[in-house]
Amino acid sequence: MLIIGAGGYAKELLEIFHQKGIAEHLAFYDDVNTESGPLLYNRFPILKNEAEVKKFFTTHGCEFTIGIGNPGLRNKMYNKFTALNGIFTSVISSKACIGSFEVKIGEGCNILDGATFSNSSEAGMGCIAYYNSIITHDCKLGNFVQLSPGATILGGAVINDFALIGSNATILAKLNIGKSAFIAAGALITKSVPDYTLMVGNPARRAGWISEYGDKLVFNDMGVATCKISLDKYHLENENVKKLS
């Protein structure tokens, strides 16, 4: 298995493999940090380029998972490594609690120790359910949703693609959390949240707008903002934000 990334979150995924006794043929990928050595923990190879990835896939199989926490970056890495014939693979801790009835987990999800998926819950591809996050009955997570430690999603709530729910935040039942919304740590969400909205507080209030990559958007007089990370442009009109194609 190849883990994309070699930083803090990737190290936490490593622990799942170690606990299951299947870490023998793991490798990591990091082409950003030029100061990192060739091995993580003096044991696991850190690949630096696509040629090394192709060689690894040929030798050890094409499965990969993403050890990066940002939803937008996770999607970018998914596109990059599937183009290299990688197979996006879920990593689920043996200490997670997965319901026995009609639970659907998409490809490439990471479910860490203590995370709970109740019966009739669903997660799309590439989601993260961090330590002790709780997804109760009939909830639906879109693609590349991130639930930080202790986040709670109550019955029937829908969390749309690329949304990030902060540590110990709570989403009340049957609410709809928009695409790429950012729910700050400790927030209590009592109303549905539009796309690209930053919510903070208890009860939560809007504190701005956010891009798919988690960059806070600042709109000019024409209602246009540019994400500093991806350079994508967004338009604000009538208190609603849309990404421009």
Side-chain angles (χ1 to χ4, degrees):
M1 174 81 78
L2 179 64
I3 297 177
I4 311 306
Y9 179 58
K11 293 174 182 178
E12 296 190 0
L13 292 184
L14 168 61
E15 184 61 20
I16 296 176
F17 289 94
H18 176 70
Q19 290 177 3
K20 292 184 174 183
I22 54 174
E24 181 179 358
H25 296 298
L26 277 182
F28 294 79
Y29 179 86
D30 183 357
D31 64 350
V32 176
N33 185 1
T34 58
E35 296 180 358
S36 63
L39 297 174
L40 180 64
Y41 296 126
N42 294 315
R43 176 178 173 184
F44 303 100
I46 300 177
L47 311 185
K48 293 293 186 180
N49 55 60
E50 292 185 8
E52 292 180 346
V53 170
K54 291 177 180 178
K55 183 177 179 180
F56 181 86
F57 281 170
T58 299
T59 305
H60 298 291
C62 296
E63 293 182 330
F64 77 95
T65 196
I66 300 175
I68 299 170
N70 181 294
L73 288 176
R74 287 174 67 81
N75 183 46
K76 182 178 180 180
M77 293 299 100
Y78 164 77
N79 291 326
K80 176 176 180 176
F81 286 89
T82 53
L84 296 172
N85 297 318
I87 300 171
F88 200 26
T89 304
S90 291
V91 177
I92 301 176
S93 170
S94 58
K95 298 180 181 180
C97 181
I98 309 298
S100 302
F101 301 94
E102 297 184 354
V103 178
K104 299 178 182 178
I105 305 296
E107 62 181 340
C109 289
N110 302 147
I111 302 177
L112 278 66
D113 296 5
T116 297
F117 277 82
S118 294
N119 291 332
S120 300
S121 61
E122 180 178 342
M125 74 160 65
C127 293
I128 294 175
Y130 232 118
Y131 302 120
N132 301 318
S133 54
I134 300 174
I135 303 89
T136 62
H137 67 90
D138 299 293
C139 290
K140 182 177 181 180
L141 310 183
N143 297 325
F144 298 101
V145 168
Q146 178 177 332
L147 305 182
S148 299
T152 300
I153 315 299
L154 296 180
V158 176
I159 315 297
N160 286 281
D161 297 351
F162 305 110
L164 191 153
I165 314 300
S167 297
N168 298 314
T170 299
I171 312 298
L172 295 187
K174 299 183 179 180
L175 298 182
N176 187 291
I177 306 303
K179 179 179 180 180
S180 296
F182 190 109
I183 311 302
L188 173 63
I189 304 299
T190 60
K191 298 179 181 180
S192 292
V193 175
D195 297 349
Y196 306 108
T197 304
L198 170 63
M199 300 291 290
V200 303
N202 182 355
R205 67 187 188 284
R206 188 183 70 201
W209 294 270
I210 210 86
S211 76
E212 286 182 3
Y213 284 80
D215 183 39
K216 193 169 183 179
L217 297 172
V218 179
F219 291 93
N220 61 23
D221 293 340
M222 301 297 292
V224 176
T226 301
C227 171
K228 294 188 290 292
I229 300 171
S230 67
L231 302 182
D232 292 330
K233 293 186 181 299
Y234 296 80
H235 184 239
L236 172 64
E237 184 176 10
N238 298 324
E239 301 301 312
N240 289 297
V241 173
K242 292 184 178 180
K243 183 181 176 181
L244 300 176
S245 57

